[in-house]
Amino acid sequence: MERKGRIRPAEVPAEIRKNNFEPFLSVYTEEEAVSEASRCFKCPKPRCSEGCPIHNRIPEVMKAVESRDFAKAYAVLSDNTVFPAICGTVCPHEDQCEGSCISGIKGEPLAIGSVERFVAEWAEENGLTVCERPQPNGKKAVCIGAGSASMACAEVLAGKGWEVTILEKEDFFGGVLAWGIPSYRLARKTIEAKQKLLESLGVRIQYNTKAVSLDQLRKDYDAVFLGTGATVSNVMRIPGEDLEGVYPAPVYLSAINLSPVKEDGRRHFEGSGKKVLVVGGGNVAMDAARDAVRLPQSEEVHIVYRRSEQEMPACTAELNDAKAEGVQFHTLVNPVEFIGENGHVRQAVCAIMTLGEPDASGRRRPVQTDERITIDVDTVVLALGFSNDPEIAEANEGLEADKWGCFKVDENYHTSYDIVWAGGDCESGASTVVKAMKAGITAAKDIENQRQKKEI
């Protein structure tokens, strides 16, 4: 019997969606979700669950959805995740659960992310995400940063009766979910729903508050969680990098993604020009380029990447969406100098690259040739990855970190400080939302376990 093909969510055509910042992928209908779930083999030793960083019990979820027991599907998901709507939308499924799906060996893998997103949306619409505030247990915790790891840690602790405060140095909630992921990929209502849930559990969010020294926090709270992320942009160290119009990706993305949507359906950033060049080949580069496409003044948007397309770390869907929206790709090309006029970038001089032997990442190492090309630009975005801000580690003697500034932790994300845990990008280096969430959940469970042991 011929198996059904993968059901793809309806999407807004590229020629229309590139003119606004609205989500362009629809959520499955009930019938689509049930039909897609029926494609699951319900493997007794599911490779998909092994490929999921939090080991969601995916066959159980699919069985429940196929039976139209969406409440059970949500309950199964909730055993492992507190971000089903977020992870169902932005996880790199092709590299995780879907990439391990046995259906993908001879056909298309199950659309696990799309089914998870449907279940999460159904649960929200039917009131399953409403939580009662538990009785206080008399303990207080503080989470530094309002990103994914801290959000997860705070939710689990608050659900156990902890009085939780989140300290955020910026004036907005969500960390990279808000400033880094465009609203056409992750609807802002999804982030707002998580914020409201935390507040309903009694979590207090204090903005414009930067915490560096941990001495006083360790006196005022029973547990401290560091979820500060990795926010320092890597640089190229080439001539012209300091010209006006050359932006680190966080600066460029924040300027656009945190701006309001105007009547024309667009976000606006006057600091971006007509000809935008994005350097990099990851998902951040795709987001920056796709943001640029949606700015009304943009005429050309280019991506240059020093390896071939095959080595690009960006998700295939992100890559294809960028192409469909008109982004021009130049692979085996890398800038060696930016040339300016009156202090503003006007050209990118790029070296043609070739690929040598594989490096530590397993990808073939890019080697510069003597051949050069010049691209006319007035805006450059450097999407070269992120490093950790060493400020907290340097300010707290004995708080151990590695040479990259990542906090050293044990299997429960406990640091070298007695009541301090750390998780997410500040511990692992720049990674995914689901791994940050896992760190926050694991740390919160250990914090609660430590409390219970002390009270025995």
Side-chain angles (χ1 to χ4, degrees), residues 403-454:
K403 64 181 181 180
W404 295 282
C406 299
F407 298 115
K408 292 183 178 180
V409 298
D410 64 15
E411 68 276 8
N412 292 313
Y413 296 91
H414 192 275
T415 71
S416 54
Y417 272 15
D418 56 352
I419 62 165
V420 179
W421 286 255
D425 292 357
C426 68
E427 164 269 324
S428 64
S431 188
T432 58
V433 171
V434 66
K435 291 181 180 178
M437 179 193 70
K438 177 184 177 181
I441 292 173
T442 304
K445 289 180 177 179
D446 190 52
I447 292 170
E448 171 64 7
N449 287 339
Q450 296 297 331
R451 177 189 74 84
Q452 293 180 8
K453 288 179 181 178
K454 291 178 181 179

Side-chain angles (χ1 to χ4, degrees), residues 306-325:
R306 61 181 183 163
R307 291 183 166 97
S308 71
E309 185 173 312
Q310 184 178 350
E311 283 82 27
M312 275 190 173
C315 294
T316 302
E318 281 283 285
L319 180 65
N320 290 339
D321 286 338
K323 288 180 178 179
E325 291 166 6

Side-chain angles (χ1 to χ4, degrees), residues 101-262:
C101 177
I102 196 170
S103 293
I105 296 176
K106 293 186 178 180
E108 293 182 297
L110 190 68
I112 297 168
S114 296
V115 175
E116 180 180 10
R117 184 182 174 200
F118 163 80
V119 172
E121 293 276 350
W122 184 92
E124 175 78 23
E125 292 171 0
N126 288 272
L128 269 65
T129 59
V130 177
C131 298
E132 291 187 11
R133 189 171 178 176
Q135 288 293 319
N137 64 21
K139 297 296 183 179
K140 298 193 300 180
V142 61
C143 298
I144 313 303
S148 301
S150 287
M151 290 160 59
C153 184
E155 181 170 344
V156 173
L157 288 178
K160 297 294 183 180
W162 284 71
E163 180 184 329
V164 183
T165 300
I166 294 177
L167 304 181
E168 169 54 53
K169 67 178 182 178
E170 305 293 349
D171 60 357
F172 60 89
F173 177 83
V176 71
L177 296 176
W179 68 256
I181 300 181
S183 55
Y184 48 84
R185 286 217 297 127
L186 180 64
R188 291 302 176 254
K189 70 173 186 177
T190 304
I191 304 173
E192 292 165 1
K194 182 56 64 177
Q195 180 179 350
K196 290 177 182 178
L197 173 62
L198 291 176
E199 291 173 342
S200 73
L201 289 170
V203 175
R204 186 166 67 96
I205 306 169
Q206 189 172 319
Y207 297 103
N208 300 307
T209 304
K210 186 175 181 179
V212 177
S213 174
L214 303 181
D215 290 344
Q216 191 61 47
L217 294 177
R218 293 167 72 197
K219 295 175 182 177
D220 295 341
Y221 294 91
D222 300 289
V224 178
F225 179 79
L226 301 174
T228 52
T231 57
V232 178
S233 296
N234 297 334
V235 296
M236 300 195 73
R237 295 185 175 87
I238 62 173
E241 198 169 358
D242 58 347
L243 288 166
E244 185 179 348
V246 180
Y247 298 97
V251 174
Y252 189 80
L253 288 168
S254 296
I256 298 172
N257 294 334
L258 297 177
S259 67
V261 175
K262 296 190 177 181

